[in-house]
């Protein structure tokens, strides 16, 4: 890795003062489970690395009247150890548990999960975020079995975030701080599809730090995540679905259905959401919702199977949510 | 006195051999005290890094190392692929840098400027038709009259099957620490070949083999890929010399390890079987192809049909496909897993076509194998352990629900004759015992087995034997390949310790008032045969040596096995899987492995070998494949993220049954490292076909392939 300057501030203010104005100059280090690989592979070559693990205010999980406040440097392991998360937000808990490496759960953070870079093998080999060579997509013409079936390009990587789909489905927000103040975005808005190699796949600006995640109260909702995994041990899911159902008795008042690992962003299945409103979740309804969720999929040459996997993930997540308690 | 009787003690007389002994280096390994080559650090050590070629096919026009040399902390730069060199695969070493730190070495590598003339490449071989001029047909093997036999057959079953290139993926990458100072080289490699690798390095450097001192306590996996000094060993030595003799550490990074340090050839085949209604095969026809990289290669025509070699009518063709990919190296049972997979899948498909139980069809066709009764007995045992009678169902009749269960069979054969090995035993006057061999323990339990044989012979406990291996100053022992180590070291240790004991008995005999041939070593004593009252403790006996230790040699000569070793084993595995037909995800419930391997010295480490082999088969059946990109010529998943290996949760239950019988025991010691890695992929692939009702033609059995087969199309 390229030599860099290392800073380990203890206050957010100090950390923010150390950031750059352009991507590529400064990287923020939390768990390091992604950043160190990026640096060793020279995909990222920051001049400065700012460690935020020493900033106390970025840690901790706290229940507030507005919901659950999760600090950005809370580790996946801490998230899994939270009884509130386990009982009230099973979709989030399941998604975190899907990171099947104890080492990564021990080091990796909630903020890092949202900010990690895509795993697209062309990107990691240095062909750029959009993996283009001589103006054409290496993904479209190449090896794309793990790539996107939604989004329509020019980005074909899939969002690597494990927690993103669950947080979008739960209506969570992120808080982004910069030296000039802080702003809040929904997690849904936080993820963006880049149109060029110069852009990022998240709405974070180079001079900002993601400081916390705010998840609305889970009263009156059922939520669940289902992951289709090739391996049980550490592996990226092939397709996931996270659902949040606002219930009125046995009837779905409104639904959020979000698929993971199928698009450059957590992909909201609006057709499925519309279909579910006013329904009772049965095997048949779940099946229909799964079909509706993938109706707009545009698979590439080798990833047509992911359409089916996403459909099954939606179905199974809905059935799991329906079995859970509101 | 005549030559001692080296033969193994009778089964009921063995005190140590045949017992379940924990590996003696276990505590060193789990505590971290045991050092692997990559753990070696020497005073003043430098770190080296390689510049590798990003193109699959290119000619080097120029290499400019000036900027790298100028970087502070760089001590030496060596060009490995100079101008004019034609690169044949991505990842080829172009230059190497030694520096004070690994970080400086890596930064320096990035300052080397290479001008390539990029040439056209081809990195895929799955489609034989697309191979064109890269095809190298190996010539036809014709036996009997297959055309006539196919005409007479009641049924003809056809199928196409494929198994991709896999990597060795050694947990400890290839590499070494090396110090070339003055005339001599101190060399700490990661190797399967302690006695031989020094000579290999010396030859490449044109220095006497005697000047290279090799040491290695532990190795983190080799699987057939770590025999030679390799280009990185040679360049590390040169960098050391050029840096004034400072030691240099050069281990491959994970990407380079996967790209260039070993792969297993792919094996694809179209197979036709002609058979009678009862499942007896009368005709075999196959066209196979595969690649081992730039050499073409793949499964040889003589390796099909596998095990069922005596099918009377055969037409076998094989075509090697040249690709611009990292070259193959021997991979645990070279070509056997591929050949077993191709053959056993074809037989299972025949059974399904005839609506017969594959147990019956395999059993019937074992007549075509070298050891029909051994296979039949093993198949019965495997069927019993896998609850075949209860769990098997005709293909595709797994019942309702999205999760389908199925069972499948795979078969194996292997040689495993002990290699040439010399051993030196020293009995010291204080009673301590050293047993020295220039061998290595690949993790198989070689150290433990040596200690057990020595303890058995000397009437001592395992803990009283100091086993010294991993140094080429010890008597030479063969490289660990071909499952040859256990036979080799067991015999040389037996002979050497027995020769030493003979000398001890001669020294002790006067004190006990009998001749040496009336003495025996039992339970830590030297005693008069049949009269334990007349004895000396081991320590007291050794004191009779005065000041001079006994040093005695022993040799295994594979040409004269003396009934102590032999070769030729069989194995049967039955897999039990569950397949989610909505997602295509395959889960292994159970893998039953029945294996014969002659006389078993340590059942515990022997079983451990089989467990490990089964896990490798599960990886190969469900997860592992090299994914090459034709556009870039790159190996896209040269990592441990998308080059997938099973984790503990993916393995299911493994049941190992070592086929221990008086008949097998009488054959002497036979190697076990390789045979159990052969049948698993076939068994798992057949179990999946049985579960879901259709053949998934190619492994690994990934969700995309399983779903495609269910939907009747190719993945």
């Amino acid at each position: 890795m390229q030599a860099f300057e290392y800073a380990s501030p203890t206050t957010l203010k100090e950390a923010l003062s150390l950031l750059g104005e352009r991507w590529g100059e400064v990287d923020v280090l939390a768990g390091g489970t992604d950043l160190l690989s990026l640096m060793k592979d020279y995909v990222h070559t920051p001049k400065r690395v700012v460690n935020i693990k020493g900033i106390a205010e970025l840690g901790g999980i706290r229940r507030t009247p507005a919901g659950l406040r999760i600090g950005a440097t809370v580790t996946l392991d801490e998230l899994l150890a939270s009884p509130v998360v386990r009982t009230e937000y099973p979709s989030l808990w399941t998604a975190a548990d899907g990171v099947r490496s104890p080492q990564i759960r021990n080091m990796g953070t909630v903020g890092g999960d949202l900010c990690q870079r895509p795993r697209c093998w062309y990107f990691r080999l240095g062909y750029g975020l959009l993996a283009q060579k001589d103006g054409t997509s290496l993904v479209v013409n190449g090896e794309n079995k793990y790539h996107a079936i939604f989004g329509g390009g020019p980005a074909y990587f899939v969002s690597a975030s494990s927690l993103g789909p669950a947080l979008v489905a739960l209506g969570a927000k992120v808080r982004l701080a910069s030296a000039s103040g802080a702003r809040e975005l929904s997690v849904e808005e936080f993820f963006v599809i880049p149109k060029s190699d110069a852009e990022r796949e998240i709405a974070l600006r180079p001079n900002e730090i993601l400081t916390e995640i705010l998840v609305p109260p889970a009263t009156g909702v059922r939520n669940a995540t289902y992951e289709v995994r090739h391996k049980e041990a550490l592996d990226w899911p092939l397709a996931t679905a996270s659902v949040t159902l606002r219930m009125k008795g046995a009837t779905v008042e409104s639904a959020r259905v979000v698929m993971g690992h199928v698009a450059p962003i957590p992909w909201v299945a609006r057709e499925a959401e519309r279909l579910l409103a006013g329904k009772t979740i049965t095997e048949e309804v779940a099946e229909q919702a799964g079909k509706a969720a993938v109706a707009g999929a545009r698979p590439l040459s080798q990833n047509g199977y992911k359409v089916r996997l996403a459909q099954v993930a939606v179905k199974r997540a809905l059935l799991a949510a329906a079995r859970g308690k509101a | 006195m005549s030559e001692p009787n080296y033969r193994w003690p009778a089964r009921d007389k063995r005190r140590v051999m045949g017992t379940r002994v924990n590996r003696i280096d276990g505590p060193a390994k789990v505590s971290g005290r045991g050092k692997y080559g990559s753990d070696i650090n020497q005073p003043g050590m430098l770190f080296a890094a390689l510049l590798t070629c990003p193109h699959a096919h290119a000619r080097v026009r120029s290499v400019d190392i000036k900027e790298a040399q100028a970087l502070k902390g760089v001590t030496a730069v060596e060009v490995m692929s100079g101008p004019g060199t034609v690169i044949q695969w991505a990842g080829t070493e172009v230059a190497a840098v030694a520096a004070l730190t690994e970080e400086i070495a890596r930064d320096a590598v990035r300052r080397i400027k290479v001008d390539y003339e990029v040439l056209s490449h081809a990195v895929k071989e799955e489609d034989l038709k697309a191979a064109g001029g890269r095809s190298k047909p190996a010539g036809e093997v014709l036996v009997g009259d297959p055309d006539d036999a196919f005409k007479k057959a009641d049924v003809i079953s056809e199928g196409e099957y494929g198994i991709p290139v896999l990597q060795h993926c050694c947990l400890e990458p290839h590499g070494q620490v090396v110090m070339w100072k003055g005339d001599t080289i101190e060399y700490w490699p990661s190797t399967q070949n302690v006695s031989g690798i020094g000579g290999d390095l010396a030859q490449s450097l044109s220095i006497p083999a005697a000047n290279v001192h090799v040491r290695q306590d532990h190795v983190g996996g080799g699987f057939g890929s770590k025999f030679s000094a390799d280009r990185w060993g040679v360049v590390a030595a040169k960098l050391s010399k050029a840096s004034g003799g400072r030691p240099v550490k050069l281990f491959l990074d994970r990407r380079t390890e996967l790209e260039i340090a070993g792969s297993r050839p792919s094996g694809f085949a179209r197979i036709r079987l002609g058979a009678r209604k009862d499942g007896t095969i009368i005709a075999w026809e196959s066209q196979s192809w595969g690649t081992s990289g730039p050499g073409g290669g793949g499964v040889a025509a003589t390796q099909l049909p596998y095990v069922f070699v005596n099918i009377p009518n055969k037409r076998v063709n094989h075509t090697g496909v040249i690709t611009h990919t990292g070259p193959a190296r021997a991979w645990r049972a070279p070509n056997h897993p591929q050949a077993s997979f191709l053959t056993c899948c074809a037989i299972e498909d025949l059974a399904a076509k005839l609506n017969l139980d594959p147990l019956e069809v395999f059993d019937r066709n074992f007549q075509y194998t070298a050891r029909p009764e051994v296979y039949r007995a093993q198949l019965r045992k495997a069927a019993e352990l896998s609850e075949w009678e209860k769990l098997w169902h005709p293909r595709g009749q797994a019942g309702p629900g999205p999760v389908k269960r199925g069972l499948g069979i795979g078969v194996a054969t292997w040689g495993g004759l002990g290699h040439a090995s010399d051993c030196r035993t020293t009995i010291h006057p204080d009673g301590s015992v050293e047993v020295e061999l220039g061998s290595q323990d690949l993790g198989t339990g070689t150290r433990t087995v040596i200690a057990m044989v020595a303890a058995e012979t000397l009437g001592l406990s395992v803990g009283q034997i100091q086993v010294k291996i991993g140094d080429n100053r010890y008597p030479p022992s063969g490289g660990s390949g071909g499952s040859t180590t256990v036979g080799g070291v067991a015999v040389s240790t037996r002979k050497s310790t027995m020769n030493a004991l003979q000398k001890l008995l001669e020294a002790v005999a006067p004190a006990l008032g009998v001749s040496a041939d009336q003495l025996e070593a039992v339970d830590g004593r030297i005693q008069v045969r049949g009269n334990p009252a007349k004895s000396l403790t081991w320590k007291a006996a050794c004191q009779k040596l005065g000041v001079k230790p006994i040093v005695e040699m022993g040799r295994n000569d594979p040409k004269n096995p003396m009934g102590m070793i032999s070769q030729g084993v069989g194995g049967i595995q039955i897999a039990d899987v569950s397949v989610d037909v909505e997602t295509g995800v395959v889960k292994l419930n159970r893998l039953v492995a029945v294996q014969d391997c002659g006389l078993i010295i340590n059942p515990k480490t022997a079983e451990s070998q089989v467990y490990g082999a089964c896990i490798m088969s599960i990886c190969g059946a469900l997860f592992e494949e090299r994914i090459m990109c034709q556009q870039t010529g790159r190996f896209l998943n040269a990592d441990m993220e998308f080059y997938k290996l099973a984790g503990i949760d993916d393995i299911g239950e493994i049941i190992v049954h070592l086929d221990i019988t008086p008949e097998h025991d009488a054959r002497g010691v036979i190697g076990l490292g390789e045979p159990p890695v052969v049948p698993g992929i076939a068994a798992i692939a057949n179990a999946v076909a049985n579960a879901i009702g259709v053949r998934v033609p190619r492994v690994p059995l990934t969700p995309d392939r399983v779903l495609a087969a269910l939907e009747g199309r190719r993945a």
Side-chain angles (χ1 to χ4, degrees):
Chain A
M1 72 179 64
Q2 183 174 285
F4 56 89
E5 183 185 306
Y6 179 72
S8 198
T10 51
T11 65
L12 180 60
K13 192 176 169 202
E14 193 188 348
L16 292 169
S17 74
L18 292 163
L19 300 185
E21 287 302 318
R22 280 186 298 277
W23 285 121
E25 294 173 355
V26 180
D27 271 319
V28 170
L29 172 72
T33 59
D34 187 24
L35 181 60
L36 292 180
S37 313
L38 290 163
M39 290 171 68
K40 284 181 179 176
D41 290 342
Y42 294 89
V43 177
H44 278 210
T45 51
K47 295 184 182 69
R48 179 187 295 158
V49 171
V50 178
N51 171 29
I52 59 168
K53 287 196 297 283
I55 303 171
E57 65 195 272
L58 297 185
I61 301 174
R62 203 173 66 237
R63 199 198 274 275
T64 73
L68 200 64
R69 181 261 178 208
I70 304 168
T73 60
V74 165
T75 64
L76 297 178
D77 196 52
E78 288 170 326
L79 191 70
L80 287 164
S82 158
V84 180
V85 174
R86 183 162 199 150
T87 54
E88 296 178 30
Y89 303 96
S91 67
L92 190 58
W93 192 91
T94 305
D97 187 55
V99 179
R100 298 303 311 145
S101 154
Q103 292 89 340
I104 292 178
R105 292 197 302 266
N106 287 341
M107 290 301 293
T109 62
V110 172
D113 176 81
L114 298 177
C115 295
Q116 66 183 306
R117 307 301 316 272
R119 310 305 306 186
C120 165
W121 39 38
Y122 293 106
F123 171 58
R124 296 277 166 164
L125 262 174
Y127 290 101
L129 185 56
L130 301 189
Q132 292 182 335
K133 197 180 177 194
D134 308 325
T136 62
S137 167
L138 289 168
V139 178
V140 170
N141 299 307
E143 300 299 319
N144 52 41
K145 69 190 274 186
Y146 299 124
H147 284 82
I149 55 171
F150 290 101
Y156 294 100
F157 61 81
V158 295
S159 167
S161 173
S162 294
L163 309 180
L167 291 171
V168 172
L170 288 164
K173 290 178 184 163
V174 287
R175 195 171 169 82
L176 311 174
S178 70
S180 56
R183 59 182 180 132
E184 280 186 8
L185 284 179
S186 68
V187 176
E188 187 175 352
E189 294 167 305
F190 180 71
F191 290 101
V192 292
I193 301 181
K195 299 289 176 211
S196 79
D197 272 343
E199 296 177 23
R200 284 283 168 109
E201 63 281 4
I202 50 175
L204 189 81
R205 295 175 190 140
N207 64 349
E208 289 177 324
I209 289 174
L210 192 163
T211 56
E212 63 188 45
I213 294 104
L214 297 156
V215 194
T219 33
V221 302
R222 296 180 179 189
N223 61 89
T225 290
Y226 187 88
E227 298 190 340
V228 180
R229 318 179 57 79
H230 183 192
K231 275 169 60 180
E232 285 301 311
L234 180 64
D235 194 12
W236 298 100
L238 296 169
T240 72
S242 294
V243 300
T244 302
L245 306 175
R246 185 158 294 283
M247 304 301 292
K248 197 170 187 178
T251 309
V252 175
E253 196 173 72
S254 64
R256 294 290 289 171
V257 179
V258 186
M259 295 175 283
H261 292 269
V262 293
I265 57 175
W267 194 257
V268 179
R270 304 206 187 280
E271 294 293 319
E273 291 177 355
R274 273 195 286 276
L275 183 143
L276 288 163
K279 299 260 172 60
T280 302
I281 304 287
T282 61
E283 179 90 25
E284 197 187 346
V285 166
E287 178 82 35
Q288 286 168 359
K291 281 189 183 140
V294 298
R298 295 284 174 273
L300 303 167
S301 58
Q302 299 173 342
N303 66 2
Y305 74 104
K306 289 183 69 170
V307 177
R308 176 138 175 93
L309 300 189
Q311 180 187 329
V312 173
V314 168
K315 178 180 84 173
R316 293 185 181 179
L318 286 168
L319 292 171
R323 280 194 302 269
K325 51 181 196 288
Chain B
M1 204 169 181
S2 62
E3 191 178 82
N5 176 13
Y6 298 119
R7 298 290 298 259
W8 302 116
R11 280 178 88 194
D12 57 353
K13 294 281 189 315
R14 294 173 203 157
R15 299 170 311 106
V16 182
M17 290 169 65
T19 62
R20 303 178 69 84
V21 175
N22 288 341
R23 56 184 73 219
I24 59 177
D25 49 8
K29 284 187 168 182
V30 297
S31 65
R33 288 195 305 276
K35 297 300 174 200
Y36 293 75
S38 42
D39 294 325
I40 298 292
N41 290 306
Q42 291 291 312
M45 191 173 77
L46 304 169
F47 294 84
L50 293 172
L51 174 68
T52 61
C53 178
H55 308 293
H57 192 199
R59 184 177 286 107
V60 177
R61 286 203 191 100
S62 65
V63 184
D64 180 354
I65 59 173
K66 284 196 290 292
E67 272 193 49
Q69 287 172 314
L71 187 66
K72 194 167 174 236
V74 170
T75 59
V77 182
E78 290 278 337
V79 175
M80 301 171 74
S81 300
T85 307
V86 176
I87 304 283
Q88 297 285 359
W89 57 87
T92 299
E93 314 90 315
V94 176
V97 175
L100 298 178
T101 67
E102 186 175 349
E103 290 77 10
I104 296 171
R106 294 200 180 276
D107 280 348
V109 155
R110 291 169 64 82
R111 292 171 174 234
I112 297 172
K113 292 192 186 68
V114 186
D115 183 22
Y116 295 104
E117 178 193 348
V118 178
L119 307 171
S120 66
H121 61 249
V123 296
K124 292 196 178 265
E125 84 291 7
E126 295 92 334
D127 183 358
L128 183 58
K129 285 194 206 82
R134 297 183 289 123
S135 298
K136 282 170 58 178
E140 185 166 281
V141 175
L142 190 68
V143 174
D145 187 345
D147 295 328
D148 184 54
F150 275 110
K151 273 184 216 143
K152 289 176 179 154
D154 297 328
V155 66
I156 293 174
S157 172
E158 291 179 77
E160 188 176 318
Y161 314 95
I163 189 166
V165 171
L166 301 191
Q167 307 311 115
H168 293 70
C169 206
C170 303
L171 199 52
E172 179 189 37
H174 288 65
Q176 62 288 306
V177 174
V178 61
M179 179 169 73
W180 187 351
K181 202 165 192 177
D183 292 338
T184 60
I185 291 182
E186 293 294 326
Y187 185 26
W188 296 267
S190 179
T191 185
Q192 301 177 230
N193 188 15
V194 165
S195 287
I197 196 170
D200 187 44
L201 180 70
Q203 192 173 21
S204 298
L205 297 171
S206 302
I207 61 165
N211 295 15
V212 181
H213 182 200
V214 177
R215 275 172 285 180
Q216 175 193 261
D217 285 345
H218 303 287
V219 52
F223 314 111
S225 67
K226 287 182 177 170
F227 287 102
S228 64
D230 283 313
R231 297 200 337 143
W232 43 82
V234 175
V235 82
K238 288 180 179 171
L239 288 169
S240 170
K241 189 176 195 190
S243 304
R246 289 175 73 168
V248 169
K249 185 178 215 166
L250 172 52
F251 278 81
L252 303 186
D253 59 28
R254 182 54 57 185
R255 163 159 283 281
T256 309
E257 171 71 17
L258 268 75
E259 279 186 318
I260 69 174
S263 64
R264 178 172 99 176
S266 54
F268 300 88
R270 281 188 292 276
I271 300 174
R272 276 176 90 209
L273 294 183
R276 296 203 194 98
K277 277 198 205 76
D278 67 359
T280 305
I281 300 166
I282 55 170
W284 167 286
E285 186 174 271
S286 60
Q287 166 65 59
S288 58
W289 70 98
T291 190
S292 52
V299 180
T302 49
Q303 289 176 296
L304 290 175
Y306 183 67
V307 173
F308 301 87
V309 289
N310 299 323
I311 291 173
N313 305 290
K314 294 183 283 194
R315 178 181 287 113
V316 189
N317 279 284
H318 177 79
T319 301
V321 181
I322 294 167
T323 52
H324 295 106
T325 60
R329 295 182 175 207
W331 194 104
R332 200 171 181 179
N335 285 341
H336 281 237
Q338 301 96 306
S340 173
F341 165 78
L342 296 171
T343 303
C344 296
C345 287
I347 294 176
E348 160 78 35
D349 283 353
L350 170 71
K353 186 156 188 174
L354 285 165
N355 206 17
L356 292 173
D357 185 337
L359 212 57
E360 191 184 326
V361 174
F362 274 89
D363 189 277
R364 199 173 295 287
N365 289 293
F366 281 143
Q367 62 175 301
Y368 298 131
T369 69
R371 304 167 75 212
E373 288 318 313
V374 170
Y375 283 118
R376 286 192 178 118
Q378 289 184 344
L379 188 60
R380 280 195 297 276
K381 189 71 199 174
E384 175 199 323
L385 293 170
S386 62
E387 301 176 277
W388 185 277
E389 204 167 315
K390 183 175 128 200
L391 297 174
W392 184 81
H393 53 76
R395 182 178 283 194
Q397 296 178 24
V403 177
K404 313 288 188 191
R405 193 166 180 181
L407 265 57
I409 300 168
V411 302
T413 183
W414 192 254
L417 184 69
H419 57 209
S421 172
D422 288 291
C423 175
R424 178 169 58 222
T425 298
T426 304
I427 300 177
H428 292 274
D430 68 353
S432 56
V433 178
E434 289 175 280
V435 178
E436 299 167 317
L437 307 91
S439 186
Q440 52 279 320
D441 190 331
L442 290 193
T444 50
T446 303
R447 264 192 189 86
T448 311
V449 159
I450 291 168
M452 290 174 75
V453 169
E456 179 77 50
T457 308
L458 300 175
L460 298 174
S461 63
V462 166
Q464 288 174 282
I465 309 296
Q466 288 188 39
V467 178
K468 299 195 169 174
I469 60 171
D471 190 320
N472 70 339
R473 288 179 180 164
Y474 299 142
S477 210
S480 289
S483 305
T484 58
T485 304
V486 67
V489 302
V491 172
S492 65
T493 301
R494 173 73 172 169
K495 290 185 179 173
S496 162
T497 48
M498 195 164 265
N499 291 342
L501 177 64
Q502 186 70 27
K503 286 287 187 314
L504 179 66
L505 299 184
E506 285 166 17
V508 169
L512 289 169
V514 293
S515 62
D517 59 4
Q518 290 179 57
L519 294 175
E520 61 180 357
V522 180
D523 293 335
R525 304 183 77 83
I526 302 297
Q527 65 183 32
V528 176
R529 217 175 280 276
N531 184 6
K534 226 175 157 190
S535 68
L536 285 171
T537 63
W538 175 264
K539 207 171 167 76
C542 292
Q543 276 168 0
K544 303 286 179 204
L545 297 174
V547 294
K548 198 161 171 279
I550 293 167
V551 181
E552 284 294 317
M553 299 296 295
R555 166 169 292 182
N556 182 51
D557 175 4
K559 291 198 193 77
N560 180 22
M562 299 171 63
M564 299 176 75
I565 53 172
S566 62
Q567 63 182 323
V569 295
I572 300 274
Q573 291 181 13
I574 293 183
D576 173 348
V577 303
S578 287
V579 186
D580 184 333
V581 294
E582 291 187 354
T583 62
V585 174
V586 179
K587 295 248 176 293
L588 202 84
N589 302 319
R590 192 151 67 176
L591 187 57
V592 170
V594 177
Q595 182 68 49
D596 85 74
C597 55
L599 184 158
I600 294 172
I601 296 172
N602 185 354
K604 188 165 192 176
T605 51
E607 283 168 12
S608 195
Q609 279 294 290
V610 185
Y611 284 117
C614 287
I615 292 168
M616 281 184 105
S617 295
I618 294 165
C619 292
L622 302 184
F623 304 121
E624 282 183 89
E625 62 182 318
R626 179 177 76 181
I627 297 173
M628 298 299 302
C629 171
Q630 176 54 31
Q631 295 170 96
T632 59
R634 298 306 297 272
F635 177 171
L636 293 178
N637 58 336
D639 51 44
M640 289 179 78
E641 178 179 5
F642 290 107
Y643 187 85
K644 298 186 183 185
L645 297 168
I648 200 79
D649 296 333
D650 298 304
I651 289 163
E653 184 190 6
I654 297 170
I655 297 177
V656 177
H657 177 83
L658 292 176
D659 207 1
I660 301 174
T661 65
E663 296 74 38
H664 288 317
D665 188 87
R667 302 178 68 208
V669 178
I670 312 177
L672 180 63
E674 274 148 310
V677 87
V678 175
I681 296 179
I684 294 166
N686 282 339
V688 169
N690 177 247
I692 66 173
V694 291
R695 166 66 56 189
V696 183
R698 291 185 181 176
V699 294
L701 302 158
T702 52
D704 53 327
R705 292 193 179 96
V706 173
L707 289 177
L710 282 164
E711 289 164 18
R713 61 182 169 81
R714 291 287 287 277

